[in-house]
Amino acid sequence: MKQPPLLARAQARMAPGALTRDGFLGADPRDLVEILQADDGAVRRLGLTHEAIGGAMARLTDAALERLGATARVGGFAVSAVEAMGQLPCPFGHAGLYPKAEVRARRTRDGAERAWTALHVHLVRDHGFYQGRGSPYRIEPADLAGFLGLGPAAD
Amino acid sequence: MGDVLTAVGVLVGLGAILALILVMAERKLVHSGPVRLTINDADPVEVPGGEPLLSVLRERKIFVPSACGGRGSCGLCKVTVRSGGGPVLPTEIPHLSPEEIEERVRLACQVKVRGDTAIEIPAHLLEVEEYEVRVEAIEELTYDIRRLRLAFGPGVAFRFRAGQYVQIETPIYDGLGEPVYRAYSISSPPQGTGAIELIIRKVPRGICTTYVHELLLVGDRLTLNGPYGEFYLRDTPAEAVFIGGGSGLAPFESMLADMAERGIRKKVTLFFGAVARRDLYDLERFAAHEKAVPGFRFVPALSDPAPDDGWDGETGLITEVVGRSYGDMAGMEAYLCGSPGMIDACVRVLTAKGVAEDSIFYDKF
């Protein structure tokens, strides 16, 4: 599929140094539209929605942010956030600003850990964007859903 | 065959005419020649047209704060555009309140100076200058917080108010396309004009803090501009609380040293919120301030002390510690420095305790 201009502009804002040091695309050679389509297909095959995955991330993220750096314990997870000064806009041009925060989640039953950012939650939930392959915060949709205990992929 | 060639010729001709019209329209409508810029009702100055307002101002050595290098992401570079500037862009909307849009506040990095333009900026920004400094010392305060001592050149006197901040230009590294600016509070007192100190916490994957923590060496040169900000101790008899977390102690160190130097008497309590003992620093400095500044009290608090921390001080979120330390806080002032989340949480607690909103001060950069 040909990439629409709106997504081309978003892809430009995802380059390293544009909004964040590492950007959002890693070494992924695909156009943004291809990344979105592939991940959308993966989520559909799991019988899930981006809203459900993003919603589960948001619950953990909100709990972590409320604790101002201390650990929060939420439904089988221990989560904490490192929040810096400043805020970030959405690279898709969506209205709103998001905390500059890295969230670290540990599943207490097996010690599995994942990290994402506050902006990442919005990108997943509202744009179905899980970042490009090689991006520091890329989490494969199936892996993320499994980690969060969602749908048939839950392990 | 002849008809086909004629048709192609006509099409090419029409295309050329259309292109010519577009070029002429652009020249007419999108002004790229010199235009007149009026700043704060001063005499207009001639500036190149078509450039972002932030760049135009910077070329004239007028430094409007911008922590994102003009990418429209930080929302710091707000100016009032009295005339010109075109319509508000979608990239500005997230940063502007309805009242600001009504009052013609714009982001200087997004406004293109395409025609005669009149703007208003705070008068103190006209005093901001750019400096080259040398890294005189780097001190590790915790596993993720460093103190930098930056020396100005011979004969340069950098004047600021305790609590203000500067912007550091991070040079291009690791293939990043252009320099970026980040704001940091000054932690040293204003009495030492030949050098300043900054306290910088490493942000996971941050552009500037990665440079400061992994690449910057003693002897390196940096460019900075400043001073900025309205975060300074008000000259009132009101009791004050200072609340800081992480590197957010920086402006309070400057204020307290300034109070000691100038013999300012004001009842002040500084609450330092940290997670565990390994996040605390400069405890001996604050102990010294408790002796040197009459009425000053220092309260470090840990929200999640490690089992081997041996901590017997205050525990809990800093908002909880502040909340249980006071009854009615009406008439008090509060000074906050930390992440936006910490500031929002503190404002909620303080206003619930009776502190007036206009008595709560912070730079939310």
Side-chain angles (χ1 to χ4, degrees):
Chain A
M1 180 185 173
K2 189 173 172 359
Q3 177 144 286
L6 203 64
L7 290 185
R9 286 197 289 275
Q11 185 162 346
R13 288 192 287 267
M14 291 175 179
L19 291 179
T20 64
R21 191 190 69 155
D22 299 306
F24 300 81
L25 297 168
D28 204 321
R30 296 173 296 172
D31 275 344
L32 179 55
V33 67
E34 296 174 78
I35 297 171
L36 291 170
Q37 283 181 331
D39 286 341
D40 187 56
V43 170
R44 284 173 191 274
R45 285 192 291 279
L46 293 168
L48 291 171
T49 63
H50 305 300
E51 291 78 10
I53 296 173
M57 294 170 80
R59 281 189 287 282
L60 298 181
T61 301
D62 292 346
L65 289 172
E66 274 182 24
R67 295 288 296 164
L68 303 178
T71 301
R73 297 184 192 283
V74 194
F77 292 91
V79 290
S80 62
V82 180
E83 186 182 356
M85 295 182 188
Q87 293 175 298
L88 283 172
C90 168
F92 288 90
H94 193 276
L97 293 168
Y98 300 86
K100 270 189 185 175
E102 182 184 83
V103 177
R104 293 163 190 167
R106 184 171 55 83
R107 194 164 54 191
T108 45
R109 71 174 158 84
D110 60 1
E113 292 185 17
R114 300 290 184 273
W116 58 76
T117 67
L119 175 58
H120 196 168
V121 176
H122 163 71
L123 296 177
V124 166
R125 184 166 55 186
D126 298 319
H127 299 286
F129 178 55
Y130 296 75
Q131 310 205 14
R133 289 181 190 139
S135 171
Y137 292 108
R138 163 81 183 177
I139 308 178
E140 294 295 331
D143 176 65
L144 183 55
F147 176 74
L148 295 167
L150 295 173
D155 58 3
Chain B
M1 186 69 181
D3 290 345
V4 172
L5 284 174
T6 304
V8 169
V10 168
L11 279 174
V12 169
L14 280 173
I17 290 167
L18 274 173
L20 188 64
I21 290 170
L22 282 173
V23 169
M24 289 175 69
E26 187 180 14
R27 283 187 181 173
K28 181 79 178 171
L29 300 173
V30 182
H31 203 318
S32 58
V35 298
R36 297 197 316 164
L37 176 66
T38 306
I39 303 169
N40 292 2
D41 294 326
D43 291 336
V45 291
E46 200 169 86
V47 300
E51 297 292 318
L53 177 57
L54 186 68
S55 307
V56 169
L57 292 171
R58 182 164 285 158
E59 280 161 19
R60 299 197 64 80
K61 300 295 179 194
I62 296 172
F63 298 97
V64 175
S66 165
C68 67
R71 296 176 175 84
S73 65
C74 73
L76 278 180
C77 61
K78 290 178 181 176
V79 300
T80 302
V81 178
R82 287 288 167 226
S83 63
V88 176
L89 301 176
T91 46
E92 298 175 82
I93 299 289
H95 301 280
L96 300 174
S97 67
E99 294 78 22
E100 287 175 322
I101 292 172
E102 181 73 22
E103 292 167 6
R104 303 183 63 88
V105 174
R106 303 286 303 273
L107 296 190
C109 68
Q110 301 299 300
V111 172
K112 289 272 179 70
V113 184
R114 297 189 194 280
D116 291 350
T117 304
I119 66 167
E120 277 180 28
I121 58 175
H124 64 83
L125 289 183
L126 298 173
E127 295 163 17
V128 169
E129 291 186 38
E130 189 170 71
Y131 303 86
E132 186 177 87
V133 294
R134 191 179 71 84
V135 181
E136 202 171 66
I138 298 175
E139 182 184 358
E140 307 296 340
L141 299 179
T142 72
Y143 62 99
D144 68 349
I145 296 179
R146 282 185 148 187
R147 178 169 20 241
L148 306 184
R149 184 168 176 80
L150 307 174
F152 294 88
V156 176
F158 179 73
R159 301 195 188 283
F160 65 97
R161 296 179 81 160
Q164 287 192 299
Y165 68 92
V166 293
Q167 291 195 143
I168 288 184
E169 179 188 301
T170 308
I172 296 168
Y173 72 99
D174 272 1
L176 298 176
E178 53 189 277
V180 299
Y181 293 83
R182 289 289 183 269
Y184 298 102
S185 294
I186 302 165
S187 62
S188 50
Q191 286 76 19
T193 56
I196 57 170
E197 291 180 345
L198 309 177
I199 294 174
I200 299 179
R201 184 183 188 191
K202 187 174 181 186
V203 174
R205 306 190 180 282
I207 294 177
C208 189
T209 65
T210 299
Y211 176 78
V212 166
H213 276 260
E214 294 183 5
L215 299 172
L216 191 67
L217 300 171
V218 170
D220 284 353
R221 294 195 175 275
L222 284 174
T223 300
L224 62 79
N225 54 56
Y228 296 100
E230 299 293 307
F231 188 69
Y232 54 83
L233 190 64
R234 268 54 181 177
D235 184 14
T236 71
E239 180 180 351
V241 287
F242 293 174
I243 308 174
S247 58
L249 290 198
F252 302 130
E253 291 204 10
S254 180
M255 288 180 183
L256 289 162
D258 186 44
M259 289 173 75
E261 184 69 29
R262 295 164 59 201
I264 294 172
R265 300 180 75 87
K266 188 177 177 87
K267 192 171 181 187
V268 173
T269 303
L270 167 58
F271 293 89
F272 177 9
V275 175
R277 190 158 206 150
R278 68 176 193 150
D279 300 302
L280 297 175
Y281 60 92
D282 278 352
L283 300 184
E284 66 295 340
R285 284 197 180 198
F286 292 108
H289 288 318
E290 282 189 310
K291 291 179 181 161
V293 181
F296 171 61
R297 192 165 66 99
F298 177 56
V299 182
L302 301 185
S303 58
D304 209 358
D308 59 354
D309 274 351
W311 182 250
D312 59 0
E314 291 280 355
T315 56
L317 298 185
I318 200 63
T319 45
E320 296 165 351
V321 176
V322 171
R324 66 176 178 248
S325 297
Y326 295 94
D328 183 4
M329 296 178 78
M332 291 179 64
E333 293 172 350
Y335 297 79
L336 318 175
C337 188
S339 66
M342 190 210 85
I343 288 174
D344 290 343
C346 287
V347 168
R348 283 195 295 273
V349 168
L350 292 166
T351 51
K353 285 272 182 183
V355 181
E357 281 192 35
D358 60 3
S359 293
I360 303 175
F361 307 101
Y362 50 86
D363 276 326
K364 204 171 178 179
F365 53 72

